[in-house]
Amino acid sequence: MAPNDEYLNALNAWAPNLGEVFTTLGYLGSPSSTAWLASSPRSSDLRLLFDADGHVSASEMWRKILREDEIVASPVFMLILEHMRRNPVDMSSSLKDVRLDFSKSLANIAHRAADALYEDAKGSFAGHEIDVAIARYRVALSEFRFSIESQVLTESARRIATGKYATAVAMIGRWVQVSPATVSRALSYSKESMTLGNLKPETLTYRLELLVQQFDQTGDENLLQDALKLLSENPKIVEGSELAEVEARLRLALLSDSGIGSVRFQQLKIAKLKLTRSRPRGSVDEARCRVLSTIVEAAKQTQLDLPARSMAIPRGLLALMATQPSAKLWGIIRCVINNLEYLLTDRGSVPAAVLSAQFLRQMVDGPSDLLKPNDLSRYVNITGSLSEMARSNRHVQWEAGAAALSVAKRTGNLDLAHRAQDVFTELCTLHPTWPLPRIGIARVKDYLDGLSGGETSYTTVSWREAAILALNSPIYARSNLGGRNEVFAVADARGFLSETFVFKRTTKEKADHEATMLTSLRKVIASRGDTSLFEVPRSLAIVEVPSEDERRWVHVSQRAAGRLVSELSAEEALAVLEPITDLLAIFHSVAGTPPIGKSAWRPLKDYLKMWSRSLFEQEHADSFVDSLRKLFPGELPLVRKRDGHASNWIVDPAGRIVAIDLESSEFIPIGYDVVQLIEDNALVQANLDGWRMRIALMERYFSRMGHTISESDLIVAYGWFAITRALRLGTEKEAGKHLRRHARELCGLIQSAALT
């Protein structure tokens, strides 16, 4: 067994999530990534930290770090932290033996871990591993926040932690979406750090970037004015903050009217001057400068009407390309790529290649009628060049193969298909336990078999090999997608993947049904012209794998990456309820009609009996269910069950709603899924304002379905459905205190609504 697998298996025995995190952060997975362990003079001591009972070793390691002021690798701090959080009693005892306090140690180790991760992330940016840097910054944010909120850091440590938290958010926000709460917290921490004496120029510069980020989220123009005011009050940071200032002025220009002498013209004039004076601090800023120059020039020469809140580079532009594709936007992006070409060809700039590849991939994945032949060849050439520049990054190699296959399918170029096959085959050899190359080979064979009209047995073998690897890999742990624990999502933050491959163990009947539902829903969304609003996974394969139960089939699908609605903040979740309701109505309109005489009561009755018997004796439970039966809104038409809870919806980086888990073949009363969406995760508060919001969403849904219902009947239906969901929340052991409290408050709200 390879050493890397030994480490992963040891971690997975007691901390499986940490094994996956280490791989994502680039601390496991290849010989170079494990150098912190294999090449350390303390290698034998560090290996003890991988054991479940390594709390004594963890305590002794922390004591040595403090005593000798030793600099250790980030994963060492993370391993010690994991022992403290999983075994607080044993760790407290071990720390007491070496005269250390548990609470203070926990906060200080979290701070040291965050600081080490932060420095590693800076190194990743300098080494052009932008994806690794973002992943490391994200974990650092969590540990910085934990240590800050512990209230046990010294003033000096707190000044550093709050400042670095703000800087990390600013860096991440350039590339990926950051939640509004995180940006607000970063601005608050930034102010605190400055109050504690952190007045370094870079601190103020990153605060400037955070203000611009917050404008992108809120649209509040005053934030841009605050950014410029910050510059005027701190002349020392003017030099070195040109790119952030240009981003603010570009947005102000796009918000203003056009014309010579206008605010727009003046802002663009200053922005262009600032760009000529800027001295980028590295290749990343150099590439950003090129992109900004192109956008500013386009805004100055033409009546550029792009939304000001979509100018973040590259995040905002990529989201705009996904949701509002147009010939004008594609023309601007081509100019951006042209302006990056010098950095790529003459300077070998990896960030320039990364940006170009991301823009081109979005173009190739977009509307076919907007593409030009040169876009396709450029995509292949640039991803190929990037793979040569970053030979150690396996995901960059995979992207080169994926680009060649994508263009082969569009152009019929068999040479490109075989090139892709060669790339994936080499990756299989170098990384035999990695599922993605097997997926690549299967997709190539799918394409080639389709052209020849030959047998698909070889393709099936490739998909089966990929499925078995995904299900057995120590790297890819089970993901709780769609409320399940047998769904394996192969998505590695170290790659430039915009999508995720999902392997779901199920029965053949359910797999076939879900594949049909996915295909039907994708077609109707495309026919409605709603692809900028909604997304649906693509069914790729259904294969049989060894299994001890009936779930011996694996449905392989590909979907957009993103965040589960159940994991969004309350504010973010409320913002997506209306579009989810709209997509729910589209699904119900195409998911099929129930058999004649089909009753929705029977499947609901079984669940109600099960939940009720957790509260009452069997006799009283049966009586309670019978009383519910008398009030059941049985006159409502039936629709296909969506299982609409918040863990079955994803919001992708472009803000589109992604529907996942469509395998249910049951039928339920119309409107039931809307109630499950709202109540199962307590997305709407149980008060009078919340009640009005619930009824408004139901009315919206019924309107989209074309079904007329009186207000009184709608209220009765919502109340009945909500009572059943409250019954579930109040009796299932998986529901926490928050959801149990919501169930009680919901019942009270329904009673109040019934009396009014």
Side-chain angles (χ1 to χ4, degrees), residues 246-247 249-251 253-254 264 268 271-272 275 287-308 310-314 316-317 320-321 328-329 331-337 339 359:
V246 169
E247 292 222 31
R249 294 191 182 279
L250 173 60
R251 286 160 173 76
L254 293 175
R264 177 188 178 104
L268 291 174
K272 187 172 182 179
L275 286 169
R288 286 180 64 222
C289 183
R290 288 269 172 168
V291 177
L292 274 171
S293 297
T294 307
I295 301 296
V296 168
E297 190 61 31
K300 192 175 181 182
Q301 298 297 329
T302 66
Q303 301 304 312
L304 187 68
D305 56 358
L306 298 180
S310 298
M311 289 297 102
I313 299 171
L317 293 176
L320 194 64
M321 293 174 72
K328 178 183 284 188
L329 179 57
I332 293 171
I333 295 301
R334 289 189 185 99
C335 291
V336 167
I337 296 169
N339 212 3
F359 289 135

Side-chain angles (χ1 to χ4, degrees), residues 119-134:
E119 295 300 324
D120 286 354
K122 286 173 58 179
S124 298
F125 263 121
H128 311 305
E129 292 184 302
I130 297 167
D131 45 357
V132 178
I134 291 170

